[in-house]
Amino acid sequence: MKRSRTVEWEDASATAKAAGTMAGLDFLREIVAGRLAPAPLGSLMGFALEEVEDGRAVFGFEPAEEHYNPIGSVHGGVYATLLDSAAGCAVHSTLPRGMAYTSLDLSTRFLRPITADTGKVRAIGTVMSRGRRTALAEAGLYDSSDRLLGHATSTCMLFPTD
């Protein structure tokens, strides 16, 4: 039986323009509040930024069949995307106006399988260290019982947007 999914998203250019005019925490809070559109990738994959504070970001995700690999569990690339997003946004939340970041690396560990039966999961990113040019963050992926499903560390390069 064929299945399908329709994905809708808002124009990402307005959000991208706003990113350069605001401190990172203010920018991410505008996304959480719905005053700025989230990244189209979240609509495609079905996850959203739900909480943000200085040095911390939390994404929510409902796993479903469209996230499966051929053996019937959520694909590792979905884990990695959630963990990268949480770690990266945690770093972004610490940046002043006029600064941006990009991920330099992502080291992941997949600890437990995720299926549609797992229910909602959270990716929680925190900044471990931030300097002038790089930041180190970690992220954990948790089920509703707070069991760790996956973990990642990420190094991000910081740079001026001018």
Side-chain angles (χ1 to χ4, degrees):
M1 178 182 345
K2 295 277 185 184
R3 292 167 169 85
S4 67
R5 181 174 178 217
T6 301
V7 179
E8 295 180 358
W9 64 93
E10 295 181 43
D11 180 5
S13 64
T15 303
K17 286 177 188 173
T21 67
M22 307 170 80
L25 184 57
D26 296 334
F27 172 73
L28 294 171
R29 283 181 172 159
E30 290 294 298
I31 291 173
V32 171
R35 291 184 289 268
L36 284 174
L41 181 64
S43 297
L44 178 65
M45 293 185 64
F47 67 87
L49 181 62
E50 296 182 343
E51 301 173 35
V52 65
E53 58 189 66
D54 187 45
R56 183 174 184 271
V58 180
F59 282 83
F61 171 67
E62 286 278 346
E65 186 180 74
E66 65 264 23
H67 302 113
Y68 282 8
N69 58 29
I71 61 172
S73 62
V74 171
H75 190 281
V78 175
Y79 284 70
T81 300
L82 287 162
L83 293 166
D84 183 57
S85 297
C89 284
V91 168
H92 194 146
S93 74
T94 69
L95 299 181
R97 182 175 163 260
M99 290 293 289
Y101 79 95
T102 190
S103 299
L104 291 174
D105 64 28
L106 182 72
S107 176
T108 59
R109 300 289 180 267
F110 309 131
L111 305 173
R112 296 177 189 271
I114 299 174
T115 67
D117 293 335
T118 302
K120 185 176 180 178
V121 299
R122 294 170 300 126
I124 303 173
T126 56
V127 174
M128 300 169 66
S129 174
R130 195 190 123 212
R132 290 181 311 137
R133 296 198 170 132
T134 61
L136 177 65
E138 68 177 349
L141 194 56
Y142 300 90
D143 67 11
S144 62
S145 299
D146 284 332
R147 287 183 299 178
L148 186 63
L149 307 170
H151 181 265
T153 56
S154 177
T155 306
C156 295
M157 179 175 64
L158 312 179
F159 56 91
T161 57
D162 301 335

